Amino acid sequence: MNKRIFRYMGLLIILTVVVFAALWGTILTGQFGAQIKEGLQTLRVSVIDPSGTVLFDNMADPKTMESHLSRPEVAEALLTGKGEDERLSDTLDEKTYYYAMRLEGGNILRLALTTDSLAVLLFRFVPVLLLCLILAAGLSFVVARRLTRKLVAPINNLDLDAPDLSGYDELLPLLEKIGTQKQELSLQLAEIESRAATITAITGNMREGLLLLNGEGRVLLANDSALRILGARDADRKHLIELCRDPAFLERASACLAGEKGETSLRLDGGFYSVFFNPVLDGEALDGAVVLFIDVTERYASERQRKEFSANVSHELKTPLTAIAALSELIADGTAKDADVRPFAGKIQKQARRLIDMIEDIIRLSEFDEEDVPREFTRFNLYSAAEAVIDSLEEKAAERNVEVKLLGAPHMSVTANLRMTDELLYNLVDNAIKYNREGGSVTVELTEDAQAVRICVRDTGIGISREHLGRIFERFYRVDKSRSKKTGGTGLGLSIVKHVVELHGGHVEVESDEGKGTSFTCIFKKP
């Protein structure tokens, strides 16, 4: 590269000198030629005799001219044969050159040439000189520009992936360093992109909502869950107040942006969320905040169900216990007549039985609430199990004049928990009998296909209105509380049915027409 620059600069200097010299020489030649012509036209010739008298002059009348014997050039010519002199005219700023020569006859021939002074000559040549300089500079600029472009073109057009700088050996270390840094940057960029993709994948698949805010409270990052929770399509660069106007939420967000951690509860779109605020610090400077939304709807629902369950259990247990305590107190203090003791004892036994049944159902539901409920699945004859349950309820059906029919293949088998399946069948058939009309019927139909086994219990009873269908599997929920008290139900039977079916990986379908009957279909998926 140094050689190329030196070569270009040398070429440019030589070219400039040559151009300037050519222009200056051409102009000077013309000027001197003109000066010679002008000099010949103004050349003065005089002939002077040895006494100094002018005999001839081509520019003046000799008779009017004074003696020239004292002129230096004439005196020198008389003495040595030739002489010369130059005299400057201060008024005309001109210089006259004189040359005298002694002829054979003794006369003196004198020639005189008048020219401008050096200052005048120089002043006359200034414009010409400036013109030469301007032309030479202009040409040098054009050539320098082209040479510069040619010099830097390989650098400007350099392909860093496949560099080719022939003649630019000095740049090879720089290119090697750039290549090394490029590789390092590529690796760092790939790592950053990989981390960004990982973070995006993680945050995108989080069930929790995540917001990243800058110090002004504007959103830098919002994952899909956060957008769904806040009901927003896009949150980029939006202020937090544009996404949620809950006062408690905004108050905690402002405190967080002031450097204070905190949390609050938020109800959005029917769900409950715990919202955690954490400031992001860069050293001691606050750089932003992270907001995390955790869905606690199920926890709230479980808490609500627990409270309702506790209240219902207390209420349901209190009813039979109150009856038992009142009747036993009447018997104990002798208030009851002897004839009433036996009926009272029967009522006490009935309430005690109801209490025991309720406690057993509560224990059963508590077992279902445990995550590690033993499955204990076995292969057994489903038709025989249903038949045994119907036989155990035959007396109750006869009391209400309800006909119970069993339909299905006698040899149908299923892989399930036998005890839980018996409990499911018992609860469904028992309910179908209790909530049936006098003289009605109950049909238990067992069917199967390649995917599932279905247990369908249909009755011709009172039915269930649409407003209650969504809640019939809740614990202690009764459609008709007055009728339930008469029939002695605990309100836990359908909850047990639902838990049993779900434990077997299935689900329950309900169809009901108020006043015409209800159909429960339990679907067990085959393993």
Side-chain angles (χ1 to χ4, degrees), residues 100-161:
M101 178 179 181
R102 188 176 60 196
L103 300 176
E104 291 182 0
N107 291 332
I108 303 300
L109 174 65
R110 189 186 69 168
L111 301 177
L113 181 64
T114 301
T115 64
D116 294 328
S117 67
L118 181 60
V120 172
L121 289 174
L122 290 176
F123 183 77
R124 184 182 297 173
F125 281 110
V126 165
V128 178
L129 180 62
L130 290 176
L131 178 60
C132 292
L133 290 174
I134 291 172
L135 291 176
L139 181 60
S140 301
F141 175 78
V142 172
V143 174
R145 187 173 182 181
R146 295 194 62 180
L147 291 177
T148 303
R149 287 180 178 177
K150 187 176 180 180
L151 185 66
V152 300
I155 301 175
N156 291 335
N157 299 326
L158 181 64
D159 183 2
L160 293 178
D161 294 325

Coordinates of all heavy atoms in Angstrom, one line a residue, residues 100-161:
A100 N 27.1 50.8 -28.6 CA 27.9 51.6 -29.6 C 29.1 50.9 -30.2 O 29.7 50.1 -29.4 CB 28.3 52.9 -28.9
M101 N 29.3 51.1 -31.4 CA 30.4 50.4 -32.1 C 31.1 51.4 -33.1 O 30.4 52.1 -33.8 CB 29.8 49.2 -32.9 CG 30.7 48.4 -33.7 SD 29.9 47.1 -34.5 CE 31.3 46.4 -35.3
R102 N 32.5 51.4 -33.1 CA 33.2 52.3 -33.9 C 33.4 51.7 -35.3 O 33.8 50.5 -35.4 CB 34.6 52.6 -33.3 CG 35.4 53.7 -34.1 CD 36.6 54.0 -33.3 NE 37.5 52.8 -33.3 CZ 38.5 52.6 -32.5 NH1 38.8 53.6 -31.6 NH2 39.2 51.5 -32.5
L103 N 33.0 52.5 -36.3 CA 33.1 52.0 -37.7 C 34.5 52.3 -38.2 O 35.3 53.0 -37.6 CB 32.0 52.7 -38.5 CG 30.5 52.5 -38.1 CD1 29.6 53.3 -38.9 CD2 30.2 51.0 -38.1
E104 N 34.8 51.8 -39.5 CA 36.1 52.0 -40.1 C 36.4 53.4 -40.4 O 37.6 53.8 -40.2 CB 36.2 51.2 -41.4 CG 36.1 49.7 -41.2 CD 36.2 48.9 -42.5 OE1 36.3 49.6 -43.6 OE2 36.2 47.7 -42.4
G105 N 35.5 54.2 -40.6 CA 35.7 55.6 -40.9 C 35.9 56.5 -39.7 O 36.1 57.7 -39.7
G106 N 35.7 55.8 -38.5 CA 35.9 56.6 -37.2 C 34.5 57.0 -36.6 O 34.5 57.4 -35.5
N107 N 33.5 56.9 -37.4 CA 32.1 57.2 -36.9 C 31.7 56.1 -35.9 O 32.1 55.0 -35.9 CB 31.1 57.4 -38.0 CG 31.4 58.7 -38.8 OD1 32.0 59.6 -38.3 ND2 31.0 58.7 -40.1
I108 N 30.7 56.5 -35.1 CA 30.1 55.6 -34.1 C 28.7 55.2 -34.5 O 27.9 56.1 -34.7 CB 30.1 56.2 -32.7 CG1 31.6 56.6 -32.3 CG2 29.6 55.2 -31.6 CD1 32.6 55.5 -32.2
L109 N 28.5 53.9 -34.5 CA 27.1 53.4 -34.8 C 26.5 53.0 -33.4 O 27.1 52.1 -32.7 CB 27.1 52.2 -35.7 CG 25.7 51.5 -35.9 CD1 24.8 52.4 -36.6 CD2 25.9 50.2 -36.8
R110 N 25.4 53.6 -33.1 CA 24.8 53.3 -31.8 C 23.4 52.8 -32.0 O 22.6 53.4 -32.7 CB 24.7 54.6 -30.9 CG 24.3 54.3 -29.5 CD 24.2 55.5 -28.6 NE 23.0 56.3 -29.1 CZ 22.5 57.3 -28.4 NH1 23.1 57.7 -27.3 NH2 21.5 58.0 -28.9
L111 N 23.1 51.7 -31.3 CA 21.7 51.1 -31.2 C 21.1 51.3 -29.8 O 21.8 51.0 -28.8 CB 21.8 49.6 -31.6 CG 22.4 49.2 -33.0 CD1 22.4 47.7 -33.1 CD2 21.6 49.9 -34.1
A112 N 19.8 51.6 -29.8 CA 19.1 51.8 -28.5 C 17.8 51.0 -28.5 O 17.0 51.2 -29.5 CB 18.9 53.3 -28.3
L113 N 17.6 50.3 -27.5 CA 16.4 49.5 -27.3 C 15.7 49.8 -26.0 O 16.4 49.6 -24.9 CB 16.6 48.0 -27.5 CG 15.4 47.1 -27.4 CD1 14.4 47.3 -28.5 CD2 15.8 45.6 -27.4
T114 N 14.5 50.3 -26.0 CA 13.8 50.7 -24.8 C 12.8 49.5 -24.4 O 12.0 49.1 -25.2 CB 13.1 52.0 -24.9 OG1 14.0 53.0 -25.3 CG2 12.4 52.4 -23.6
T115 N 12.9 49.1 -23.1 CA 12.0 48.0 -22.6 C 11.4 48.5 -21.3 O 11.9 49.4 -20.6 CB 12.7 46.7 -22.4 OG1 13.7 46.8 -21.4 CG2 13.3 46.2 -23.7
D116 N 10.3 47.8 -20.9 CA 9.7 48.0 -19.5 C 10.7 47.6 -18.5 O 11.5 46.7 -18.6 CB 8.4 47.3 -19.4 CG 7.3 47.8 -20.3 OD1 7.4 49.0 -20.7 OD2 6.5 47.0 -20.8
S117 N 10.5 48.2 -17.3 CA 11.3 47.8 -16.1 C 10.9 46.4 -15.6 O 9.9 45.8 -16.0 CB 11.2 48.8 -15.0 OG 9.8 48.7 -14.5
L118 N 11.8 45.8 -14.8 CA 11.5 44.5 -14.2 C 10.2 44.4 -13.5 O 9.5 43.4 -13.6 CB 12.7 44.1 -13.3 CG 12.6 42.7 -12.7 CD1 12.5 41.6 -13.8 CD2 13.8 42.4 -11.7
A119 N 9.9 45.4 -12.7 CA 8.7 45.4 -11.9 C 7.5 45.4 -12.8 O 6.5 44.7 -12.6 CB 8.6 46.7 -11.0
V120 N 7.6 46.2 -13.9 CA 6.5 46.2 -14.9 C 6.3 44.8 -15.6 O 5.2 44.3 -15.8 CB 6.7 47.3 -15.9 CG1 5.6 47.2 -17.0 CG2 6.6 48.7 -15.3
L121 N 7.5 44.3 -15.9 CA 7.4 42.9 -16.6 C 6.8 41.9 -15.6 O 6.0 41.1 -16.1 CB 8.8 42.5 -17.0 CG 9.5 43.3 -18.2 CD1 10.9 42.8 -18.4 CD2 8.7 43.1 -19.5
L122 N 7.3 41.9 -14.4 CA 6.7 41.0 -13.4 C 5.2 41.2 -13.3 O 4.4 40.2 -13.2 CB 7.4 41.1 -12.1 CG 8.9 40.6 -12.1 CD1 9.5 40.8 -10.7 CD2 8.9 39.1 -12.4
F123 N 4.8 42.4 -13.1 CA 3.4 42.7 -12.9 C 2.6 42.2 -14.2 O 1.4 41.8 -14.0 CB 3.2 44.2 -12.7 CG 1.8 44.6 -12.5 CD1 1.2 44.4 -11.2 CD2 1.0 45.2 -13.5 CE1 -0.2 44.7 -11.0 CE2 -0.3 45.5 -13.2 CZ -0.9 45.3 -12.0
R124 N 3.2 42.4 -15.3 CA 2.5 41.9 -16.5 C 2.3 40.4 -16.6 O 1.3 39.9 -17.1 CB 3.3 42.4 -17.8 CG 2.6 42.1 -19.1 CD 3.5 42.6 -20.2 NE 3.7 44.0 -20.2 CZ 4.5 44.7 -21.0 NH1 5.3 44.0 -21.9 NH2 4.7 46.0 -20.9
F125 N 3.3 39.7 -16.0 CA 3.2 38.2 -16.1 C 2.4 37.6 -14.9 O 2.2 36.4 -14.9 CB 4.6 37.6 -16.0 CG 5.3 37.7 -17.4 CD1 6.4 38.5 -17.6 CD2 4.9 36.9 -18.4 CE1 7.0 38.6 -18.8 CE2 5.5 37.0 -19.7 CZ 6.6 37.8 -19.9
V126 N 2.0 38.4 -13.9 CA 1.2 37.9 -12.8 C -0.1 37.2 -13.2 O -0.3 36.0 -12.8 CB 0.9 39.0 -11.7 CG1 -0.2 38.5 -10.7 CG2 2.2 39.3 -11.0
P127 N -0.9 37.8 -14.0 CA -2.1 37.1 -14.5 C -1.8 35.7 -15.2 O -2.5 34.7 -15.0 CB -2.8 38.1 -15.4 CG -2.3 39.4 -15.0 CD -0.9 39.1 -14.6
V128 N -0.8 35.8 -16.0 CA -0.4 34.6 -16.7 C 0.0 33.5 -15.8 O -0.3 32.3 -15.9 CB 0.7 34.9 -17.8 CG1 1.1 33.6 -18.5 CG2 0.2 36.0 -18.7
L129 N 0.8 33.9 -14.8 CA 1.3 33.0 -13.8 C 0.2 32.4 -13.0 O 0.1 31.2 -12.7 CB 2.3 33.7 -12.8 CG 2.9 32.8 -11.7 CD1 3.7 31.7 -12.3 CD2 3.8 33.7 -10.8
L130 N -0.8 33.3 -12.6 CA -2.0 32.8 -11.8 C -2.8 31.8 -12.7 O -3.3 30.8 -12.2 CB -2.8 34.0 -11.4 CG -2.2 34.8 -10.3 CD1 -3.2 36.0 -10.0 CD2 -2.0 34.0 -9.0
L131 N -2.9 32.1 -13.9 CA -3.7 31.2 -14.8 C -3.0 29.9 -14.9 O -3.7 28.8 -14.9 CB -3.8 31.9 -16.2 CG -4.5 31.0 -17.3 CD1 -6.0 30.8 -16.8 CD2 -4.5 31.7 -18.6
C132 N -1.7 29.9 -15.1 CA -1.0 28.6 -15.1 C -1.1 27.8 -13.8 O -1.3 26.6 -13.8 CB 0.5 28.9 -15.4 SG 0.9 29.5 -17.0
L133 N -1.0 28.5 -12.7 CA -1.2 27.8 -11.4 C -2.6 27.3 -11.3 O -2.8 26.1 -10.8 CB -0.9 28.8 -10.3 CG 0.5 29.2 -10.1 CD1 0.7 30.3 -9.0 CD2 1.4 28.0 -9.7
I134 N -3.6 28.0 -11.7 CA -5.0 27.6 -11.6 C -5.2 26.3 -12.4 O -5.8 25.3 -12.0 CB -6.0 28.7 -11.9 CG1 -6.0 29.8 -10.9 CG2 -7.4 28.1 -12.1 CD1 -6.7 31.0 -11.2
L135 N -4.7 26.4 -13.7 CA -4.9 25.3 -14.6 C -4.2 24.0 -14.1 O -4.7 22.9 -14.1 CB -4.4 25.6 -16.0 CG -5.2 26.7 -16.7 CD1 -4.5 27.0 -18.0 CD2 -6.6 26.1 -17.0
A136 N -2.9 24.2 -13.6 CA -2.2 23.1 -13.0 C -2.9 22.5 -11.8 O -3.0 21.3 -11.6 CB -0.8 23.6 -12.7
A137 N -3.4 23.4 -10.9 CA -4.1 23.0 -9.7 C -5.4 22.2 -10.0 O -5.7 21.2 -9.4 CB -4.4 24.1 -8.8
G138 N -6.1 22.8 -11.0 CA -7.4 22.1 -11.4 C -7.1 20.7 -12.0 O -7.8 19.7 -11.6
L139 N -6.1 20.6 -12.8 CA -5.8 19.3 -13.4 C -5.3 18.4 -12.3 O -5.6 17.2 -12.3 CB -4.7 19.5 -14.5 CG -4.3 18.2 -15.2 CD1 -5.5 17.6 -15.9 CD2 -3.2 18.5 -16.2
S140 N -4.5 18.9 -11.4 CA -4.0 18.1 -10.3 C -5.1 17.6 -9.4 O -5.1 16.4 -9.0 CB -3.0 18.9 -9.4 OG -1.9 19.3 -10.2
F141 N -6.1 18.4 -9.2 CA -7.3 18.0 -8.4 C -8.0 16.9 -9.0 O -8.4 15.9 -8.4 CB -8.2 19.2 -8.1 CG -9.5 18.9 -7.4 CD1 -9.5 18.7 -6.0 CD2 -10.6 18.8 -8.1 CE1 -10.6 18.4 -5.4 CE2 -11.8 18.4 -7.5 CZ -11.8 18.3 -6.1
V142 N -8.3 17.0 -10.3 CA -9.0 16.0 -11.1 C -8.2 14.7 -11.0 O -8.8 13.6 -10.7 CB -9.3 16.4 -12.5 CG1 -9.9 15.3 -13.3 CG2 -10.2 17.7 -12.5
V143 N -6.9 14.8 -11.3 CA -6.1 13.6 -11.3 C -6.1 13.0 -9.9 O -6.2 11.7 -9.7 CB -4.7 13.9 -11.9 CG1 -3.8 12.6 -11.7 CG2 -4.8 14.3 -13.3
A144 N -5.9 13.8 -8.9 CA -5.8 13.3 -7.5 C -7.1 12.7 -7.1 O -7.0 11.6 -6.4 CB -5.5 14.5 -6.6
R145 N -8.2 13.2 -7.5 CA -9.5 12.6 -7.1 C -9.6 11.2 -7.8 O -10.1 10.3 -7.1 CB -10.6 13.5 -7.6 CG -12.0 13.1 -7.1 CD -13.0 14.2 -7.5 NE -14.3 13.8 -7.0 CZ -15.4 14.5 -7.2 NH1 -15.4 15.6 -7.8 NH2 -16.6 14.0 -6.7
R146 N -9.3 11.1 -9.0 CA -9.4 9.8 -9.7 C -8.4 8.8 -9.1 O -8.7 7.7 -8.9 CB -9.1 10.0 -11.2 CG -10.1 10.9 -11.9 CD -10.0 10.7 -13.4 NE -10.3 9.4 -13.8 CZ -10.2 9.0 -15.1 NH1 -10.0 9.8 -16.1 NH2 -10.5 7.7 -15.4
L147 N -7.2 9.3 -8.8 CA -6.2 8.4 -8.2 C -6.7 8.0 -6.8 O -6.5 6.8 -6.4 CB -4.8 9.1 -8.1 CG -4.1 9.3 -9.4 CD1 -2.8 10.1 -9.2 CD2 -3.8 8.0 -10.1
T148 N -7.3 8.9 -6.0 CA -7.8 8.6 -4.7 C -8.9 7.5 -4.7 O -8.9 6.6 -4.0 CB -8.3 9.8 -4.0 OG1 -7.2 10.8 -3.9 CG2 -8.7 9.5 -2.6
R149 N -9.8 7.7 -5.7 CA -10.9 6.8 -5.9 C -10.3 5.4 -6.2 O -10.8 4.4 -5.7 CB -11.8 7.2 -6.9 CG -12.7 8.4 -6.5 CD -13.7 8.8 -7.6 NE -14.6 9.9 -7.2 CZ -15.4 10.4 -8.0 NH1 -15.5 10.0 -9.3 NH2 -16.2 11.4 -7.6
K150 N -9.3 5.4 -7.1 CA -8.7 4.2 -7.5 C -8.0 3.5 -6.4 O -8.0 2.3 -6.2 CB -7.8 4.4 -8.7 CG -7.2 3.1 -9.3 CD -6.4 3.5 -10.5 CE -5.8 2.2 -11.1 NZ -5.0 2.5 -12.3
L151 N -7.4 4.4 -5.5 CA -6.6 3.9 -4.4 C -7.5 3.2 -3.3 O -7.2 2.2 -2.8 CB -5.8 5.0 -3.8 CG -4.9 4.6 -2.7 CD1 -3.7 3.8 -3.2 CD2 -4.3 5.9 -2.0
V152 N -8.7 3.9 -3.0 CA -9.5 3.4 -2.0 C -10.6 2.5 -2.4 O -11.3 1.9 -1.6 CB -10.2 4.6 -1.2 CG1 -9.1 5.5 -0.6 CG2 -11.1 5.4 -2.1
A153 N -10.8 2.3 -3.8 CA -11.8 1.5 -4.3 C -11.7 0.0 -3.8 O -12.7 -0.6 -3.4 CB -11.8 1.5 -5.8
P154 N -10.6 -0.6 -3.8 CA -10.5 -2.0 -3.2 C -10.9 -2.1 -1.8 O -11.4 -3.1 -1.3 CB -9.0 -2.3 -3.4 CG -8.5 -1.4 -4.5 CD -9.3 -0.2 -4.3
I155 N -10.6 -1.0 -1.0 CA -11.0 -1.0 0.4 C -12.5 -0.8 0.6 O -13.1 -1.5 1.4 CB -10.2 0.1 1.2 CG1 -8.7 -0.1 1.0 CG2 -10.7 0.2 2.6 CD1 -7.9 1.0 1.6
N156 N -13.1 0.1 -0.2 CA -14.5 0.3 -0.1 C -15.3 -0.9 -0.6 O -16.4 -1.2 -0.1 CB -14.9 1.5 -1.0 CG -14.4 2.8 -0.4 OD1 -14.2 2.9 0.8 ND2 -14.2 3.9 -1.2
N157 N -14.8 -1.6 -1.6 CA -15.5 -2.8 -2.1 C -15.0 -4.1 -1.5 O -15.3 -5.1 -2.0 CB -15.3 -2.9 -3.6 CG -15.8 -1.6 -4.4 OD1 -16.8 -1.1 -4.0 ND2 -15.1 -1.2 -5.4
L158 N -14.4 -3.9 -0.3 CA -13.8 -5.1 0.3 C -14.9 -6.0 0.9 O -15.8 -5.6 1.5 CB -12.9 -4.6 1.5 CG -12.2 -5.7 2.3 CD1 -11.3 -6.5 1.4 CD2 -11.5 -5.2 3.5
D159 N -14.8 -7.3 0.5 CA -15.7 -8.3 1.1 C -15.0 -9.0 2.2 O -14.0 -9.7 2.0 CB -16.0 -9.3 0.0 CG -17.0 -10.4 0.4 OD1 -17.5 -10.3 1.6 OD2 -17.3 -11.3 -0.3
L160 N -15.5 -8.7 3.4 CA -14.8 -9.2 4.6 C -14.9 -10.7 4.7 O -14.1 -11.4 5.4 CB -15.4 -8.6 5.9 CG -15.2 -7.1 6.0 CD1 -15.9 -6.6 7.3 CD2 -13.7 -6.8 6.1
D161 N -15.9 -11.3 4.0 CA -16.0 -12.8 4.1 C -14.9 -13.4 3.2 O -14.4 -14.6 3.4 CB -17.4 -13.2 3.6 CG -18.4 -12.8 4.6 OD1 -18.2 -12.8 5.8 OD2 -19.6 -12.5 4.1

